[in-house]
Amino acid sequence: MMDHRGQSFSFVCGFSVCAEVSYSIPEELKSRTVIGNIAKDLGLDITTLSTRKARIDSEGNNERFCVMNLKTGDLSVAERLDRESLCSNKPSCILIQDLVLENPLELHRINFHIQDINDNSPQFKRDLIRMEISESAEKGTRFLIEEAHDADIGQNSVQGYILEKNDNFILMTDANKVELVLESKLDRERRQEIELPLTAFDGGTPQKSGTVMIHVTVLDANDNAPVFSQAVYKASLPENSPLDTVVVTVSATDADDGVNGDVTYDFGHVSETDEKLFSIDSKTGEIRVIGATDFEKKNSFELRVMAKDGLGLSSYAKVYIDLTDVNDNAPVIYLKSMSNPIPENVSPGTEVGIMNVQDRDSENNRQVRCSIQQNVPFKLVPSIKNYYSLVTTGQLDRELVSDYNITITATDEGSPPLSSSKTVELSVADINDNPPVFEEQSYSAYVTENNKPGSTLCSVTARDPDWRQNGTVIYSLLAGEVNGAPVSSYLSVNGDTGVIHAVRSFDYEQFRSFKVHVMARDNGSPPLSSNVTVSVFISDVNDNSPQILYPAPEGNSFMTELVPKAAHGGSLVSKVIAVDADSGQNAWLSYHIVKSTDPGLFTIDLHSGEIRTQRDISESDSMKQNLIVAVKDNGQPSLSATCSMYLLISDNLAEVPELKDISYDEKNSKLTSYLIIALVSVSTFFLTFIIIILGVRFCRRRKPRLLFDGAVAIPSAYLPPNYADVDGTGTLRSTYNYDAYLTTGSRTSDFKFVTSYNDNTLPADQTLKKCPSDFADAFQDSLEPLELKGVD
């Protein structure tokens, strides 16, 4: 295991305490070579490396140079490191890796200083350097030799050169060049070719070197150099000319004979770019196009052409080539500034953008005209030079058009003309200029009574075409009163959704409908709003049982009615009167006899509650008749109430004491004492009764065909307030009018005599109201007649 010391530096990061550690390692280490123990160097717990998902990340790329053993914390080389490929000839080669630990998140930087080793030998570009030197060359003549290159740096790079000892040349070196110096003149007749090994060596350990062979050919003396026909050549060439187009032909002559007079052509010092565009024929001197010429990149060229004879004498000439422009570039539109988005309330003529149009061509080819599409409220206004302003021409409305795609076209005046287009996207910024609008002019909500508080009644919806907060609608109830109470105690509205909820349970019998006003307001500045009316209609539920007005509830009084023994079949003997606080079919009442002493003697009208005889009264009929009547409404489900009707078949008030038996039958044995007192009272006032009975019979003889019509006197206290008669519902009928009278003399009974406007009513003597506890008071209070004229 190799140990490479690392130096750590700690600093505070935004999310955790981080550290930086550096390792210095030589290049060319084998894969899996241990560099160091990162856990120990950073003071990390080795046992938590796996659970904290420790990993090595690279900075800037995905290449990892090292790997970490999560069990031991050892950091090792991932693959062979070559400093030359990683850092080229940089003096310092530093690789950066990150150690990342999660939960909690920590980041530690690892710097690897890659140290150079002498793993590269000095190398020459060529294996053989050929030189031709005339024998006429003077002593001390210098010949430049191409330098060797070593990929290593510092001491490991090239440090010097060694030339094999010879008779003619020595080596001169300095920091910038290597030169071969002619120390003694050449003699071609004595030696025509010379081989000179040149060795370059570095300063590494172990030292490495590279050798190149210099082959010197000694030439015959050549005293005439080639001469060009002209010192400067000029040519004009259209840009984008086809390849292999001949630009110009250069020509040179040499006065020497033979090989000394053979002239070849080549470029002298020419830039890399120009060398890719032009070539010269070494035999003919023709300069041709070999690349794409572009007037806009470079419109003129200066080429140095060399003419060399066979033995190495040369001369130079200059070639100037001018390119002529061709309309090969379309105009380019540059957006310099843009106000985006634009408020929709900007006035016409507002500048919203500036753009510049350029054409790389020249003269007429770069003259540009700009235009804009016609269906947008914008226009282009020329400004200085090639600048244009984009201005509005009309009023903008974001709710109609929120975005514009404006196409601008630029066309030059070349032949043929070229054009280009650019699309500018403009957004219109919203202004709160639209109030919320409800989808309906008014809303109606229907709810049944006895609803649960919080139940949903309806929903109102308003739309605002504005954007974001300007189009965000908030709902609220306008202040008001319903039946004297704030509207907020009845309803609430969801500010976001417009759903209206009931705050309380409604009672149809209290009120049947009401109206509220809902406001929709947006969130603009200033906010805009609108109102709508919501009508709430409450429907009836059958939640009220029928209330029987007559006979009065048994707990309050004990009602007994007299039925004459001479009553014929179909005679009206009494009537059950009931009302229902509900409405509609929930208040349609029907009457039924559910139990009677003699089932075949009496019948009750299903709708009016009138009790009539089904047949003539016979002597065999029981004097005491008890009917139990049920009153039902027509609701779903139906509700009902029952009452007891006590009838006494008798024509003689002397038989009144027998009523004690009714009371005894119906009540418990505790009433016995009251019955005895009543009998004594009847005996005491017997004479008074005889007088009254005689008077009644006298009246009856005067009207022998008067029928018994209801025989029901209803004190006004029996009628509850706010009850209205509805024809056909079984409540009070306006066709019946009742007069109430009281008799005198009895402390246990109230006698009521009834007159009727119906000629079919049987005559009746009295109506008995028995209330032993308050007989005296009722008797005195009832002396004056009370008349109830058809309750409406």
Side-chain angles (χ1 to χ4, degrees), residues 47-74:
T47 60
T48 63
L49 293 179
S50 179
T51 57
R52 294 183 63 185
K53 298 180 181 179
R55 66 179 183 273
I56 299 296
D57 281 351
S58 300
E59 183 179 286
N61 55 51
N62 296 324
E63 185 176 2
R64 292 192 308 163
F65 302 108
C66 62
V67 293
M68 182 179 61
N69 190 322
L70 296 180
K71 295 181 179 179
T72 64
D74 287 338

Side-chain angles (χ1 to χ4, degrees), residues 307-320:
K308 185 174 68 171
D309 61 20
L311 295 179
L313 293 181
S314 61
S315 61
Y316 295 89
K318 289 184 178 179
V319 177
Y320 292 100

Side-chain angles (χ1 to χ4, degrees), residues 74 110 117-118 141 187 236 242 380 396 455 497 591 608 643 662:
D74 287 338
I110 307 172
I117 64 172
N118 192 24
T141 303
D187 185 356
S236 179
L380 282 177
L396 305 179
S455 58
T497 63
Y591 300 84
S608 66
C643 65
I662 298 177

Side-chain angles (χ1 to χ4, degrees), residues 701-742:
R701 289 191 184 97
R702 295 182 60 186
K703 295 181 180 180
R705 294 303 298 167
L706 286 177
L707 298 178
F708 188 67
D709 185 7
V712 180
I714 306 174
S716 61
Y718 288 170
L719 297 176
N722 301 328
Y723 279 90
D725 174 43
V726 180
D727 190 20
T729 63
T731 58
L732 294 178
R733 299 287 297 277
S734 60
T735 55
Y736 294 98
N737 300 298
Y738 302 95
D739 293 331
Y741 301 93
L742 295 179

Side-chain angles (χ1 to χ4, degrees), residues 423-443:
T423 300
V424 179
E425 296 182 359
L426 284 178
S427 298
V428 182
D430 185 49
I431 300 297
N432 191 27
D433 55 350
N434 290 281
V437 177
F438 284 95
E439 292 183 346
E440 300 182 19
Q441 294 183 349
S442 63
Y443 291 85

Side-chain angles (χ1 to χ4, degrees), residues 20 71 88 298 301 412 515 542 600 715 753 763:
E20 181 174 312
K71 295 181 179 179
S88 187
K298 191 175 182 178
F301 301 89
D412 62 27
K515 293 182 178 181
N542 191 29
F753 300 89

